Amino acid sequence: MPTWSMLYMQDSASPMMEELSYFHDFTMIIISMITMLVGLNMLFMYKYKMSNRFLVQNQTTEILWTILPVFILLMIASPSLKALYLLDDPFSPSITIKATGHQWYWAYEYSDFPDLEFTSYMIPEVDLTENSNRLLETDNSVVIPFNTPIRMITTGGDVIHSWTVPSLGVKADAVPGRLNQMMFSIKRPGVFYGQCSEICGANHSFMPIKLESVPMKTFINWVELSE
């Protein structure tokens, strides 16, 4: 059942998404203040029948209208540059995973572990169990230890796809013949979902992404069972 909370972004599960959420909220406050200021100014002019001479022919007002936007842009630029740096923070990854987009499924390779690779197909609606998420469940999940630096490398096997997980704040195109990379770390255990965000054909909406964040010990056990 949809709720009002679903209109907002998903709960952040990584430091990058936290920074993006903060930047979104901060910018929305500034936009709201600008909208209120302009609206009150128009209302004031309409109520007191003031002409445009007060706005375009008054030297003090013109200086204010010029300097104020500069300070607003500087206020927005500071958290924006910080968020951009975190999105491309070149830290040393502990685990590297390669995601290859195909029509219409994902294939994964764990570069640090030999012979650990698998495909991930969406589970049909008729095979879903109770409390499963329609169009989001997969037969194989990407298992990742939390609080661990992860490097995800993306490429395409046929057409352009896009590997996206909103709660982690990560999105990278999977382009055939090209490798893109993104760095992230998950700060808490749980299951996180994403989907291909590039229109890649008829079944574009049927290639979901499912990540399971687990403790390191559980991850090691999963690797030993999967190899």
Side-chain angles (χ1 to χ4, degrees):
M1 178 67 67
T3 61
W4 284 106
S5 62
M6 295 182 181
L7 296 176
Y8 192 65
M9 292 181 288
Q10 297 182 15
D11 293 337
S12 60
S14 69
M16 291 184 300
M17 190 58 193
E18 285 184 349
E19 194 66 29
L20 291 175
S21 298
Y22 163 76
F23 178 66
H24 170 270
D25 297 341
F26 177 73
T27 307
M28 284 299 297
I29 292 175
I30 294 179
I31 292 174
S32 300
M33 293 175 62
I34 294 174
T35 303
M36 292 175 60
L37 178 63
V38 174
L40 290 174
N41 183 64
M42 295 176 62
L43 181 64
F44 183 80
M45 292 182 59
Y46 174 78
K47 182 177 181 180
Y48 294 98
K49 309 298 182 182
M50 297 177 62
S51 65
N52 288 333
R53 181 176 301 178
F54 176 75
L55 293 178
V56 299
Q57 297 184 11
N58 184 286
Q59 183 176 5
T60 304
T61 306
E62 290 181 2
I63 294 175
L64 180 63
W65 283 129
T66 303
I67 295 178
L68 187 60
V70 174
F71 281 103
I72 293 175
L73 291 176
L74 291 176
M75 291 174 61
I76 296 176
S78 178
S80 174
L81 293 175
K82 181 180 179 181
L84 287 174
Y85 177 79
L86 288 176
L87 288 175
D88 198 26
D89 188 8
F91 57 76
S92 299
S94 299
I95 299 175
T96 299
I97 304 174
K98 180 181 178 182
T100 305
H102 299 276
Q103 291 180 315
W104 285 273
Y105 65 95
W106 292 98
Y108 296 97
E109 302 176 19
Y110 284 69
S111 304
D112 304 292
F113 305 97
D115 302 324
L116 181 51
E117 54 183 74
F118 55 87
T119 56
S120 181
Y121 289 86
M122 186 193 75
I123 298 178
E125 186 174 357
V126 294
D127 297 330
L128 292 177
T129 59
E130 188 177 359
N131 298 325
S132 296
N133 295 298
R134 177 177 175 269
L135 301 182
L136 291 176
E137 301 293 343
T138 60
D139 56 353
N140 291 309
S141 304
V142 181
V143 181
I144 296 176
F146 63 87
N147 292 331
T148 302
I150 305 295
R151 173 170 57 191
M152 181 65 67
I153 298 176
T154 61
T155 187
D158 34 49
V159 299
I160 299 177
H161 302 273
S162 183
W163 199 88
T164 308
V165 182
S167 58
L168 301 181
V170 294
K171 180 180 185 296
D173 286 342
V175 183
R178 177 178 176 179
L179 295 177
N180 289 329
Q181 75 169 9
M182 50 190 163
M183 306 286 192
F184 65 90
S185 63
I186 304 178
K187 65 178 185 178
R188 56 185 171 88
V191 180
F192 308 97
Y193 296 94
Q195 289 179 306
C196 175
S197 298
E198 190 74 42
I199 299 178
C200 55
N203 292 331
H204 155 69
S205 57
F206 301 101
M207 49 183 305
I209 301 164
K210 182 179 179 181
L211 272 69
E212 294 186 22
S213 176
V214 299
M216 179 60 74
K217 183 177 181 180
T218 304
F219 173 76
I220 295 176
N221 293 334
W222 174 80
V223 170
E224 292 176 348
L225 293 174
S226 301
E227 287 183 333

